[in-house]
Amino acid sequence: LKKIRQIDTAARLALVEPGVVNLELQKALEPFGFFYAPDPASQKVSTIGGNIGENAGGPLCLKYGVTSDNVEKLEVVTPEGEVKTWSYRDQGPDLMSVIVGSEGTLGIVTNAWLKILPLPAHIKTASAAFPSLESAMEAVTHIISSGILPRALEAMDKVSMDAARQGKTNSFPEGTEAVLIVELDGPDPVRIKTELETVHKICTERTCTAFKVAGDEAERALLWAARKGAYPAMARLAPDVLVEDGVVPRPRLPEALRETRAIISKYKLTAGLLFHA
């Protein structure tokens, strides 16, 4: 079940089978000027069926939502062997949305109608280096509370960065303990420029030591390669890697990270902190 069966740009829908790999769908949509918003870091290997089972998100979920926000309709084989088609627009209980995130326990998805969006006219990506993870998190809180909604806002600590750039040149200042990747998009380049200046100011006020805007698509791709490659890179540091996912209220991020680091230190663990901020 690996076929992209239809791309309907007028209806802004893609009909795909569950075995389609997320990144393959993105590549198929690109020539039409569209994209599918959920883009988990595992998108090179994760399938749409798996994304639906786990209600996957990815860096773009801050602005565009997770899988449940981007599915229009599902065809599902129930445990009784019946084939049902459910949409979130159906009258009565929203059975389609119950399937999303149910991890395969309620039925098997055989077709998915996914919402697709026009590629943004303008995208700007920047990296901000900080001497501590706490100061980076304070910047995150102030960026969001200023009313700016980035396309993506990602955080990496030094352990993750060192793993991701093994054998590569370090482009960040000495003493960098955390990096934010901030990406803004939209139809208006003037607004993006203004918002980027505000983000720069917020980061500088919170001890940012280097703020760099990607000059072209190649530089942008390098930044994202470091972020999306950090977890696979961690897997090269030890025979086993355990991933723990948590959700923290944004204003309490600095506190949560301090406590996490205390636990890591107490038990003498090596852990990379890598997350959608």
Side-chain angles (χ1 to χ4, degrees), residues 215-222:
D216 55 29
E217 188 56 37
E219 285 187 12
R220 177 173 172 252
L222 272 175

Side-chain angles (χ1 to χ4, degrees), residues 109-170:
V109 173
T110 46
N111 279 301
W113 287 258
L114 307 175
K115 297 175 191 175
I116 57 174
L117 298 167
L119 285 164
H122 303 279
I123 299 176
K124 282 289 180 188
T125 311
S127 62
F130 292 85
S132 75
L133 200 51
E134 287 76 14
S135 55
M137 292 311 97
E138 285 170 19
V140 166
T141 300
H142 282 81
I143 289 166
I144 302 298
S145 61
S146 73
I148 293 171
L149 185 61
R151 168 185 169 93
L153 186 51
E154 298 289 298
M156 299 170 68
D157 73 347
K158 190 174 186 301
V159 176
S160 307
M161 286 186 299
D162 287 348
R165 63 171 184 244
Q166 266 188 333
K168 296 170 190 160
T169 313
N170 181 7

Side-chain angles (χ1 to χ4, degrees), residues 38 55 61 64-72 88 96 100 115:
N55 195 16
C61 69
Y64 294 107
V66 292
T67 301
S68 58
D69 301 299
N70 291 279
V71 176
E72 177 82 19
Y88 77 95
M96 187 209 83
V100 181
K115 297 175 191 175

Side-chain angles (χ1 to χ4, degrees), residues 18-30:
V20 171
V21 172
N22 184 292
L23 189 60
E24 287 173 7
L25 173 61
Q26 305 291 8
K27 286 177 179 173
L29 291 170
E30 212 169 278

Side-chain angles (χ1 to χ4, degrees), residues 51-62:
N51 292 176
I52 290 166
E54 297 292 336
N55 195 16
L60 302 189
C61 69
L62 174 62

